[in-house]
């Protein structure tokens, strides 16, 4: 009798886990259903299939992790075999599907997205190369992906641009970002366009770069003001879009606070217990000349366009975080996580130190 009772209990539990509720059903714009099932967490299935172009980049890895953890099957287009291996473990068995692609091959792009109900375009370049210009990546590449997604009947398209995207910007990076937005809207009118500001995180080009090459952040007398945002907050916002059947429009995702490069340099110095850099402040003409000379080396070096961006303040627009259900974190909350590696052995476990405020360079113990 006891054995029979235990089997009945297990059976009832199994049946109760398979019950579905109305919130498990999502009606897509094409009127196709996406039905979630399975236990909550990593082994769940949301019923969605997402293609994340740019998944092997800085932001992409976090978007993939957020989607796969919730139970979404994720298609990972990749170019280099070694760049996508770390993404395999972000999802359960069969949830991460790797597919080789090239930005100039429409057939490969179409193959990567034809089974998806949502496509993310995170493809971008901080600098130009001999193979890909800003125009190739931010304009033509974005347009091709959006066009092919529309032709394949993909329900939703999410395009990541930049907070400072503008047609009249002195930076080619920002100009092509703005033009890319327009081309995406033409190809996919209901696209969701997300504009984050400069991001910080483990593999960022902000805190790590300031700690390693502070001289390039002293340009403009360190008076350039930015609104840094946590990459994981942006990734969560992008992952939340999948729960919304239709979300057209352009949304700004700046950081919660505005700060100058001078404050960021002081922040890195205080958190790492390293002295403030004594590197000279380079005139703009000298910095541009050095950055042009640096293009002859084969490894990525600061480009002239990156120098121009060091003189451009982040635009003053309100954030749309509430539409994604997220409150962004301040950079001080995570600074020690990403900067502890730059401390010396004797300072490794010392308490966290911050500047007293964002207007001065004095020290204060937190």
């Amino acid at each position: 009798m006891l054995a029979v009772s235990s089997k009945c209990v297990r059976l009832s539990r199994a049946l109760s886990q398979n019950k579905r509720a109305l919130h498990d059903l999502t009606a897509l714009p094409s009127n196709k259903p996406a039905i979630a099932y399975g236990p909550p967490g990593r082994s769940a299935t949301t019923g969605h299939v997402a293609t994340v172009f740019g998944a092997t980049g800085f932001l992409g890895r976090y978007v993939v992790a957020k989607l796969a953890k919730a139970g979404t099957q994720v298609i990972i287009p990749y170019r280099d075999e070694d760049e996508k291996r770390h993404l395999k473990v972000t999802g359960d068995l069969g949830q991460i599907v790797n597919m080789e692609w090239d930005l100039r091959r429409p057939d490969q792009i179409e193959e990567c997205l034809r089974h998806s109900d949502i496509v993310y375009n995170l493809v971008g370049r901080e600098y130009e190369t001999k193979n890909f210009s800003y125009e190739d990546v931010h304009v033509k590449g974005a347009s091709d992906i959006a066009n092919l997604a529309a032709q394949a009947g993909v329900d939703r398209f999410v395009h990541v641009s930049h907070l400072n995207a503008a047609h009249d910007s002195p930076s080619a990076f920002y100009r092509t970002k703005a033009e890319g937005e327009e081309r995406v809207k033409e190809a996919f009118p209901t696209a969701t366009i997300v504009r984050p500001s400069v991001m910080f995180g483990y593999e960022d080009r902000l805190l790590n770069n300031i700690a390693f090459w502070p001289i390039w952040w002293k340009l403009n007398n360190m008076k350039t003001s930015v609104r840094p945002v946590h990459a994981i907050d942006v990734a969560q916002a992008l992952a939340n879009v999948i729960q919304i059947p239709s979300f057209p429009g352009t949304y700004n995702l700046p950081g919660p606070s505005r700060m100058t490069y001078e404050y960021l340099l002081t922040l890195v110095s205080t958190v790492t217990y390293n002295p403030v850099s004594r590197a000279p402040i380079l005139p703009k003409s000298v910095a541009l000349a050095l950055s042009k000379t640096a293009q002859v080396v084969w490894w990525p070096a600061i480009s002239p366009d990156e120098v121009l961006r060091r003189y451009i303040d982040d635009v003053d627009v309100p954030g749309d975080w509430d539409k994604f259900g997220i409150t962004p974190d301040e950079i001080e909350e995570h600074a020690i996580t990403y900067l502890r590696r730059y401390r010396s052995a004797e300072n490794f476990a010392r308490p966290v130190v911050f500047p007293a405020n964002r207007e001065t360079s004095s020290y204060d113990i937190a």
Side-chain angles (χ1 to χ4, degrees), residues 42-333:
R42 180 184 173 89
S43 297
T45 300
T46 62
H48 295 284
V49 179
T51 298
V52 183
F53 291 98
T56 57
F58 169 45
L59 177 61
R61 66 186 64 199
Y62 298 113
V63 175
V64 170
K66 295 288 185 183
L67 293 172
K69 186 178 180 180
T72 299
Q73 187 176 52
V74 186
I75 312 299
I76 309 293
Y78 71 93
R79 292 196 300 158
D80 191 330
E81 186 72 28
D82 292 334
E83 290 181 346
K84 49 82 175 175
R85 291 187 301 175
H86 62 283
L87 299 173
K88 191 70 175 177
V89 297
T90 58
D92 206 356
L93 187 64
Q95 292 296 86
I96 304 296
V97 181
N98 299 312
M99 299 187 70
E100 191 170 1
W101 83 301
D102 189 286
L103 189 60
R104 297 191 175 101
R105 291 282 301 274
D107 58 324
Q108 291 185 343
I109 296 174
E110 196 274 337
E111 183 69 19
C112 289
L113 57 76
R114 66 193 182 97
H115 294 297
S116 300
D117 58 82
I118 185 168
V119 171
Y120 292 87
N121 179 32
L122 278 59
V123 179
R125 293 293 289 182
E126 289 283 342
Y127 51 89
E128 293 182 303
T129 66
K130 65 179 182 180
N131 295 319
F132 291 97
S133 65
Y134 290 136
E135 182 83 15
D136 294 333
V137 177
H138 299 156
V139 182
K140 188 178 184 305
S143 176
D144 289 346
I145 295 173
N147 270 306
L148 289 167
Q151 293 171 18
V154 174
D155 292 286
R156 288 167 296 173
F157 188 84
V158 182
H159 176 70
V160 176
S161 183
H162 194 282
L163 186 69
N164 294 333
H167 291 287
D168 59 351
S169 175
S171 165
F173 177 89
Y174 293 147
R175 290 198 304 271
T176 53
K177 281 289 187 180
E179 189 177 347
E181 289 181 12
E182 296 300 321
R183 298 282 284 272
V184 166
K185 290 176 185 176
E186 292 173 6
F188 209 108
T190 60
T192 302
I193 296 177
V194 178
R195 289 175 145 193
S197 55
V198 60
M199 291 177 282
F200 64 90
Y202 271 113
E203 309 86 3
D204 69 13
R205 294 171 63 89
L206 181 65
L207 293 177
N208 288 298
N209 205 292
I210 290 174
F212 203 75
W213 287 105
I215 188 172
W216 294 111
W217 299 90
K218 288 190 169 188
L219 301 177
N220 199 26
N221 290 311
M222 303 173 285
K223 299 305 180 186
T224 304
S225 64
V226 291
R227 305 167 71 182
V229 63
H230 198 193
I232 293 179
D233 288 335
V234 177
Q236 187 62 65
L238 294 173
N240 288 354
V241 173
I242 205 170
Q243 303 170 11
I244 307 171
S246 181
F247 199 50
T250 302
Y251 303 93
N252 299 309
L253 298 183
S257 300
R258 181 178 290 276
M259 57 199 69
T260 63
Y261 285 158
E262 182 179 15
Y263 174 77
L264 289 173
L265 283 159
T266 306
L267 175 67
V268 171
S269 176
T270 55
V271 170
T272 60
Y273 282 90
N274 292 324
V276 177
S277 171
R278 296 185 179 276
I281 298 176
L282 297 177
K284 188 175 182 179
S285 58
V286 174
L288 285 171
L290 289 174
S291 62
K292 289 177 182 177
T293 304
Q295 302 312 298
V296 301
V297 299
W298 61 266
W299 61 85
I302 189 168
S303 68
D305 194 81
E306 288 180 277
V307 171
L308 290 176
R309 276 177 265 157
R310 297 284 199 272
Y311 290 81
I312 301 175
D313 294 338
D314 280 353
V315 295
D316 189 13
V317 293
D320 297 309
W321 291 99
D322 57 318
K323 295 179 175 63
F324 297 87
I326 293 174
T327 302
D329 294 336
E330 296 281 0
I331 193 170
E332 290 87 352
E333 297 177 47

